[in-house]
PDB file of all heavy atoms in Angstrom:
ATOM      1  N   ARG A   1      -7.520  -8.825   9.151  1.00 96.00           N
ATOM      2  CA  ARG A   1      -8.483  -7.859   8.623  1.00 96.00           C
ATOM      3  C   ARG A   1      -8.360  -7.883   7.109  1.00 96.00           C
ATOM      4  O   ARG A   1      -7.338  -8.330   6.572  1.00 96.00           O
ATOM      5  CB  ARG A   1      -8.230  -6.450   9.181  1.00 96.00           C
ATOM      6  CG  ARG A   1      -6.833  -5.931   8.952  1.00 96.00           C
ATOM      7  CD  ARG A   1      -6.593  -4.632   9.695  1.00 96.00           C
ATOM      8  NE  ARG A   1      -7.361  -3.534   9.101  1.00 96.00           N
ATOM      9  CZ  ARG A   1      -7.567  -2.366   9.722  1.00 96.00           C
ATOM     10  NH1 ARG A   1      -7.109  -2.160  10.938  1.00 96.00           N
ATOM     11  NH2 ARG A   1      -8.257  -1.400   9.131  1.00 96.00           N
ATOM     12  N   PRO A   2      -9.379  -7.438   6.371  1.00 97.00           N
ATOM     13  CA  PRO A   2      -9.340  -7.543   4.912  1.00 97.00           C
ATOM     14  C   PRO A   2      -8.107  -6.882   4.307  1.00 97.00           C
ATOM     15  O   PRO A   2      -7.663  -5.814   4.753  1.00 97.00           O
ATOM     16  CB  PRO A   2     -10.628  -6.825   4.483  1.00 97.00           C
ATOM     17  CG  PRO A   2     -11.543  -6.975   5.657  1.00 97.00           C
ATOM     18  CD  PRO A   2     -10.655  -6.890   6.862  1.00 97.00           C
ATOM     19  N   GLY A   3      -7.562  -7.535   3.282  1.00 98.00           N
ATOM     20  CA  GLY A   3      -6.353  -7.065   2.643  1.00 98.00           C
ATOM     21  C   GLY A   3      -6.590  -6.419   1.295  1.00 98.00           C
ATOM     22  O   GLY A   3      -7.690  -5.970   0.970  1.00 98.00           O
ATOM     23  N   ALA A   4      -5.525  -6.410   0.487  1.00 98.00           N
ATOM     24  CA  ALA A   4      -5.472  -5.561  -0.702  1.00 98.00           C
ATOM     25  C   ALA A   4      -5.679  -6.297  -2.023  1.00 98.00           C
ATOM     26  O   ALA A   4      -5.463  -5.704  -3.081  1.00 98.00           O
ATOM     27  CB  ALA A   4      -4.141  -4.818  -0.735  1.00 98.00           C
ATOM     28  N   PHE A   5      -6.100  -7.573  -1.999  1.00 98.00           N
ATOM     29  CA  PHE A   5      -6.504  -8.211  -3.258  1.00 98.00           C
ATOM     30  C   PHE A   5      -7.908  -7.711  -3.612  1.00 98.00           C
ATOM     31  O   PHE A   5      -8.870  -8.462  -3.690  1.00 98.00           O
ATOM     32  CB  PHE A   5      -6.491  -9.730  -3.123  1.00 98.00           C
ATOM     33  CG  PHE A   5      -5.114 -10.330  -3.066  1.00 98.00           C
ATOM     34  CD1 PHE A   5      -4.864 -11.438  -2.274  1.00 98.00           C
ATOM     35  CD2 PHE A   5      -4.068  -9.807  -3.810  1.00 98.00           C
ATOM     36  CE1 PHE A   5      -3.591 -11.999  -2.218  1.00 98.00           C
ATOM     37  CE2 PHE A   5      -2.796 -10.352  -3.758  1.00 98.00           C
ATOM     38  CZ  PHE A   5      -2.551 -11.448  -2.958  1.00 98.00           C
ATOM     39  N   ALA A   6      -7.995  -6.413  -3.795  1.00 98.00           N
ATOM     40  CA  ALA A   6      -9.275  -5.752  -4.023  1.00 98.00           C
ATOM     41  C   ALA A   6      -8.995  -4.390  -4.633  1.00 98.00           C
ATOM     42  O   ALA A   6      -7.850  -3.913  -4.668  1.00 98.00           O
ATOM     43  CB  ALA A   6     -10.043  -5.602  -2.707  1.00 98.00           C
ATOM     44  N   GLU A   7     -10.043  -3.761  -5.105  1.00 98.00           N
ATOM     45  CA  GLU A   7      -9.870  -2.422  -5.658  1.00 98.00           C
ATOM     46  C   GLU A   7      -9.583  -1.397  -4.569  1.00 98.00           C
ATOM     47  O   GLU A   7      -8.896  -0.400  -4.806  1.00 98.00           O
ATOM     48  CB  GLU A   7     -11.120  -2.025  -6.447  1.00 98.00           C
ATOM     49  CG  GLU A   7     -11.295  -2.836  -7.725  1.00 98.00           C
ATOM     50  CD  GLU A   7     -12.557  -2.484  -8.476  1.00 98.00           C
ATOM     51  OE1 GLU A   7     -13.615  -2.306  -7.831  1.00 98.00           O
ATOM     52  OE2 GLU A   7     -12.489  -2.388  -9.715  1.00 98.00           O
ATOM     53  N   LYS A   8     -10.105  -1.644  -3.348  1.00 98.00           N
ATOM     54  CA  LYS A   8      -9.911  -0.698  -2.258  1.00 98.00           C
ATOM     55  C   LYS A   8      -9.682  -1.446  -0.953  1.00 98.00           C
ATOM     56  O   LYS A   8     -10.097  -2.594  -0.789  1.00 98.00           O
ATOM     57  CB  LYS A   8     -11.116   0.243  -2.141  1.00 98.00           C
ATOM     58  CG  LYS A   8     -11.375   1.050  -3.410  1.00 98.00           C
ATOM     59  CD  LYS A   8     -12.539   2.007  -3.270  1.00 98.00           C
ATOM     60  CE  LYS A   8     -12.767   2.746  -4.589  1.00 98.00           C
ATOM     61  NZ  LYS A   8     -13.835   3.764  -4.500  1.00 98.00           N
ATOM     62  N   VAL A   9      -9.003  -0.787  -0.022  1.00 98.00           N
ATOM     63  CA  VAL A   9      -8.720  -1.386   1.276  1.00 98.00           C
ATOM     64  C   VAL A   9      -8.626  -0.278   2.320  1.00 98.00           C
ATOM     65  O   VAL A   9      -8.207   0.848   2.016  1.00 98.00           O
ATOM     66  CB  VAL A   9      -7.406  -2.211   1.227  1.00 98.00           C
ATOM     67  CG1 VAL A   9      -6.202  -1.325   0.925  1.00 98.00           C
ATOM     68  CG2 VAL A   9      -7.190  -2.984   2.520  1.00 98.00           C
ATOM     69  N   ILE A  10      -9.010  -0.606   3.548  1.00 98.00           N
ATOM     70  CA  ILE A  10      -8.912   0.336   4.669  1.00 98.00           C
ATOM     71  C   ILE A  10      -7.756  -0.084   5.571  1.00 98.00           C
ATOM     72  O   ILE A  10      -7.628  -1.262   5.925  1.00 98.00           O
ATOM     73  CB  ILE A  10     -10.227   0.382   5.463  1.00 98.00           C
ATOM     74  CG1 ILE A  10     -11.300   1.094   4.640  1.00 98.00           C
ATOM     75  CG2 ILE A  10     -10.045   1.091   6.799  1.00 98.00           C
ATOM     76  CD1 ILE A  10     -12.654   1.128   5.304  1.00 98.00           C
ATOM     77  N   VAL A  11      -6.916   0.899   5.948  1.00 98.00           N
ATOM     78  CA  VAL A  11      -5.773   0.640   6.831  1.00 98.00           C
ATOM     79  C   VAL A  11      -5.618   1.792   7.814  1.00 98.00           C
ATOM     80  O   VAL A  11      -6.099   2.905   7.554  1.00 98.00           O
ATOM     81  CB  VAL A  11      -4.459   0.476   6.020  1.00 98.00           C
ATOM     82  CG1 VAL A  11      -4.544  -0.710   5.079  1.00 98.00           C
ATOM     83  CG2 VAL A  11      -4.126   1.748   5.255  1.00 98.00           C
ATOM     84  N   PRO A  12      -4.936   1.561   8.948  1.00 98.00           N
ATOM     85  CA  PRO A  12      -4.636   2.672   9.853  1.00 98.00           C
ATOM     86  C   PRO A  12      -3.735   3.692   9.162  1.00 98.00           C
ATOM     87  O   PRO A  12      -2.792   3.328   8.444  1.00 98.00           O
ATOM     88  CB  PRO A  12      -3.905   1.992  11.016  1.00 98.00           C
ATOM     89  CG  PRO A  12      -4.329   0.558  10.955  1.00 98.00           C
ATOM     90  CD  PRO A  12      -4.505   0.261   9.500  1.00 98.00           C
ATOM     91  N   ALA A  13      -3.999   4.962   9.379  1.00 98.00           N
ATOM     92  CA  ALA A  13      -3.201   6.015   8.738  1.00 98.00           C
ATOM     93  C   ALA A  13      -1.730   5.926   9.135  1.00 98.00           C
ATOM     94  O   ALA A  13      -0.844   6.219   8.320  1.00 98.00           O
ATOM     95  CB  ALA A  13      -3.773   7.384   9.100  1.00 98.00           C
ATOM     96  N   VAL A  14      -1.454   5.504  10.381  1.00 97.00           N
ATOM     97  CA  VAL A  14      -0.064   5.452  10.848  1.00 97.00           C
ATOM     98  C   VAL A  14       0.744   4.378  10.136  1.00 97.00           C
ATOM     99  O   VAL A  14       1.981   4.385  10.195  1.00 97.00           O
ATOM    100  CB  VAL A  14       0.002   5.211  12.371  1.00 97.00           C
ATOM    101  CG1 VAL A  14      -0.604   6.371  13.127  1.00 97.00           C
ATOM    102  CG2 VAL A  14      -0.675   3.900  12.752  1.00 97.00           C
ATOM    103  N   ALA A  15       0.078   3.448   9.442  1.00 97.00           N
ATOM    104  CA  ALA A  15       0.793   2.387   8.730  1.00 97.00           C
ATOM    105  C   ALA A  15       1.274   2.830   7.356  1.00 97.00           C
ATOM    106  O   ALA A  15       1.978   2.069   6.679  1.00 97.00           O
ATOM    107  CB  ALA A  15      -0.114   1.162   8.577  1.00 97.00           C
ATOM    108  N   CYS A  16       0.926   4.046   6.943  1.00 97.00           N
ATOM    109  CA  CYS A  16       1.239   4.514   5.587  1.00 97.00           C
ATOM    110  C   CYS A  16       2.535   5.317   5.555  1.00 97.00           C
ATOM    111  O   CYS A  16       2.812   6.121   6.441  1.00 97.00           O
ATOM    112  CB  CYS A  16       0.101   5.391   5.065  1.00 97.00           C
ATOM    113  SG  CYS A  16      -1.492   4.554   4.924  1.00 97.00           S
ATOM    114  N   GLN A  17       3.310   5.103   4.492  1.00 95.00           N
ATOM    115  CA  GLN A  17       4.501   5.895   4.224  1.00 95.00           C
ATOM    116  C   GLN A  17       4.415   6.421   2.800  1.00 95.00           C
ATOM    117  O   GLN A  17       3.964   5.711   1.899  1.00 95.00           O
ATOM    118  CB  GLN A  17       5.762   5.060   4.402  1.00 95.00           C
ATOM    119  CG  GLN A  17       6.016   4.618   5.831  1.00 95.00           C
ATOM    120  CD  GLN A  17       7.419   4.075   6.027  1.00 95.00           C
ATOM    121  OE1 GLN A  17       8.348   4.452   5.341  1.00 95.00           O
ATOM    122  NE2 GLN A  17       7.562   3.165   6.986  1.00 95.00           N
ATOM    123  N   PRO A  18       4.850   7.654   2.558  1.00 96.00           N
ATOM    124  CA  PRO A  18       4.751   8.220   1.219  1.00 96.00           C
ATOM    125  C   PRO A  18       5.626   7.480   0.210  1.00 96.00           C
ATOM    126  O   PRO A  18       6.713   7.009   0.541  1.00 96.00           O
ATOM    127  CB  PRO A  18       5.215   9.667   1.404  1.00 96.00           C
ATOM    128  CG  PRO A  18       6.031   9.659   2.659  1.00 96.00           C
ATOM    129  CD  PRO A  18       5.431   8.607   3.528  1.00 96.00           C
ATOM    130  N   VAL A  19       5.138   7.390  -1.009  1.00 95.00           N
ATOM    131  CA  VAL A  19       5.898   6.789  -2.103  1.00 95.00           C
ATOM    132  C   VAL A  19       6.653   7.909  -2.810  1.00 95.00           C
ATOM    133  O   VAL A  19       6.056   8.922  -3.178  1.00 95.00           O
ATOM    134  CB  VAL A  19       4.962   6.067  -3.092  1.00 95.00           C
ATOM    135  CG1 VAL A  19       5.723   5.630  -4.337  1.00 95.00           C
ATOM    136  CG2 VAL A  19       4.315   4.866  -2.428  1.00 95.00           C
ATOM    137  N   PRO A  20       7.964   7.759  -3.022  1.00 90.00           N
ATOM    138  CA  PRO A  20       8.722   8.806  -3.717  1.00 90.00           C
ATOM    139  C   PRO A  20       8.168   9.076  -5.114  1.00 90.00           C
ATOM    140  O   PRO A  20       7.693   8.158  -5.792  1.00 90.00           O
ATOM    141  CB  PRO A  20      10.133   8.216  -3.794  1.00 90.00           C
ATOM    142  CG  PRO A  20      10.198   7.222  -2.682  1.00 90.00           C
ATOM    143  CD  PRO A  20       8.820   6.649  -2.578  1.00 90.00           C
ATOM    144  N   ALA A  21       8.224  10.305  -5.526  1.00 89.00           N
ATOM    145  CA  ALA A  21       7.752  10.679  -6.856  1.00 89.00           C
ATOM    146  C   ALA A  21       8.525   9.891  -7.909  1.00 89.00           C
ATOM    147  O   ALA A  21       9.744   9.736  -7.831  1.00 89.00           O
ATOM    148  CB  ALA A  21       7.949  12.186  -7.074  1.00 89.00           C
ATOM    149  N   GLY A  22       7.786   9.352  -8.868  1.00 91.00           N
ATOM    150  CA  GLY A  22       8.421   8.621  -9.949  1.00 91.00           C
ATOM    151  C   GLY A  22       8.567   7.133  -9.719  1.00 91.00           C
ATOM    152  O   GLY A  22       8.900   6.394 -10.649  1.00 91.00           O
ATOM    153  N   MET A  23       8.332   6.666  -8.479  1.00 95.00           N
ATOM    154  CA  MET A  23       8.438   5.232  -8.218  1.00 95.00           C
ATOM    155  C   MET A  23       7.181   4.532  -8.699  1.00 95.00           C
ATOM    156  O   MET A  23       6.063   4.921  -8.370  1.00 95.00           O
ATOM    157  CB  MET A  23       8.652   4.948  -6.724  1.00 95.00           C
ATOM    158  CG  MET A  23       8.784   3.447  -6.412  1.00 95.00           C
ATOM    159  SD  MET A  23       9.011   3.101  -4.645  1.00 95.00           S
ATOM    160  CE  MET A  23      10.697   3.678  -4.399  1.00 95.00           C
ATOM    161  N   ALA A  24       7.353   3.468  -9.478  1.00 96.00           N
ATOM    162  CA  ALA A  24       6.217   2.716  -9.996  1.00 96.00           C
ATOM    163  C   ALA A  24       5.472   2.041  -8.852  1.00 96.00           C
ATOM    164  O   ALA A  24       6.089   1.591  -7.878  1.00 96.00           O
ATOM    165  CB  ALA A  24       6.690   1.682 -11.000  1.00 96.00           C
ATOM    166  N   PRO A  25       4.147   1.947  -8.933  1.00 97.00           N
ATOM    167  CA  PRO A  25       3.374   1.304  -7.863  1.00 97.00           C
ATOM    168  C   PRO A  25       3.840  -0.120  -7.565  1.00 97.00           C
ATOM    169  O   PRO A  25       3.871  -0.533  -6.397  1.00 97.00           O
ATOM    170  CB  PRO A  25       1.945   1.322  -8.415  1.00 97.00           C
ATOM    171  CG  PRO A  25       1.905   2.476  -9.335  1.00 97.00           C
ATOM    172  CD  PRO A  25       3.258   2.525  -9.968  1.00 97.00           C
ATOM    173  N   ALA A  26       4.181  -0.898  -8.594  1.00 97.00           N
ATOM    174  CA  ALA A  26       4.611  -2.278  -8.371  1.00 97.00           C
ATOM    175  C   ALA A  26       5.910  -2.335  -7.579  1.00 97.00           C
ATOM    176  O   ALA A  26       6.087  -3.214  -6.725  1.00 97.00           O
ATOM    177  CB  ALA A  26       4.776  -2.996  -9.711  1.00 97.00           C
ATOM    178  N   ILE A  27       6.832  -1.418  -7.848  1.00 97.00           N
ATOM    179  CA  ILE A  27       8.084  -1.379  -7.084  1.00 97.00           C
ATOM    180  C   ILE A  27       7.801  -0.988  -5.644  1.00 97.00           C
ATOM    181  O   ILE A  27       8.357  -1.569  -4.699  1.00 97.00           O
ATOM    182  CB  ILE A  27       9.082  -0.408  -7.737  1.00 97.00           C
ATOM    183  CG1 ILE A  27       9.453  -0.882  -9.145  1.00 97.00           C
ATOM    184  CG2 ILE A  27      10.338  -0.275  -6.877  1.00 97.00           C
ATOM    185  CD1 ILE A  27      10.085  -2.261  -9.204  1.00 97.00           C
ATOM    186  N   ALA A  28       6.922  -0.016  -5.435  1.00 97.00           N
ATOM    187  CA  ALA A  28       6.566   0.392  -4.069  1.00 97.00           C
ATOM    188  C   ALA A  28       5.965  -0.767  -3.289  1.00 97.00           C
ATOM    189  O   ALA A  28       6.209  -0.913  -2.081  1.00 97.00           O
ATOM    190  CB  ALA A  28       5.591   1.568  -4.114  1.00 97.00           C
ATOM    191  N   SER A  29       5.202  -1.635  -3.964  1.00 97.00           N
ATOM    192  CA  SER A  29       4.556  -2.760  -3.276  1.00 97.00           C
ATOM    193  C   SER A  29       5.562  -3.780  -2.759  1.00 97.00           C
ATOM    194  O   SER A  29       5.212  -4.649  -1.959  1.00 97.00           O
ATOM    195  CB  SER A  29       3.553  -3.448  -4.204  1.00 97.00           C
ATOM    196  OG  SER A  29       4.206  -4.214  -5.201  1.00 97.00           O
ATOM    197  N   LEU A  30       6.820  -3.681  -3.205  1.00 97.00           N
ATOM    198  CA  LEU A  30       7.849  -4.632  -2.775  1.00 97.00           C
ATOM    199  C   LEU A  30       8.443  -4.281  -1.406  1.00 97.00           C
ATOM    200  O   LEU A  30       9.277  -5.033  -0.894  1.00 97.00           O
ATOM    201  CB  LEU A  30       8.981  -4.685  -3.804  1.00 97.00           C
ATOM    202  CG  LEU A  30       8.615  -5.174  -5.206  1.00 97.00           C
ATOM    203  CD1 LEU A  30       9.789  -4.989  -6.153  1.00 97.00           C
ATOM    204  CD2 LEU A  30       8.186  -6.637  -5.162  1.00 97.00           C
ATOM    205  N   ALA A  31       8.020  -3.164  -0.815  1.00 97.00           N
ATOM    206  CA  ALA A  31       8.615  -2.749   0.464  1.00 97.00           C
ATOM    207  C   ALA A  31       8.478  -3.835   1.526  1.00 97.00           C
ATOM    208  O   ALA A  31       9.404  -4.062   2.319  1.00 97.00           O
ATOM    209  CB  ALA A  31       7.975  -1.450   0.940  1.00 97.00           C
ATOM    210  N   GLU A  32       7.332  -4.521   1.559  1.00 98.00           N
ATOM    211  CA  GLU A  32       7.125  -5.540   2.597  1.00 98.00           C
ATOM    212  C   GLU A  32       8.083  -6.720   2.449  1.00 98.00           C
ATOM    213  O   GLU A  32       8.778  -7.084   3.413  1.00 98.00           O
ATOM    214  CB  GLU A  32       5.664  -5.992   2.589  1.00 98.00           C
ATOM    215  CG  GLU A  32       5.205  -6.651   3.878  1.00 98.00           C
ATOM    216  CD  GLU A  32       5.511  -8.138   3.974  1.00 98.00           C
ATOM    217  OE1 GLU A  32       5.886  -8.719   2.937  1.00 98.00           O
ATOM    218  OE2 GLU A  32       5.374  -8.709   5.068  1.00 98.00           O
TER     219      GLU A  32
END
């Protein structure tokens, strides 16, 4: 299904986990 090399993307809500306050977006993207 379409991914995130885009400005926006749709995903199942259950696949989301909160990002801790203060964590940079680029660091959060390293979870995978």
Side-chain angles (χ1 to χ4, degrees):
R1 56 188 290 165
F5 287 145
E7 291 178 318
K8 301 182 182 184
V9 63
I10 289 177
V11 298
V14 296
C16 298
Q17 294 193 28
V19 171
M23 181 181 288
I27 297 301
S29 74
L30 297 172
E32 200 275 348

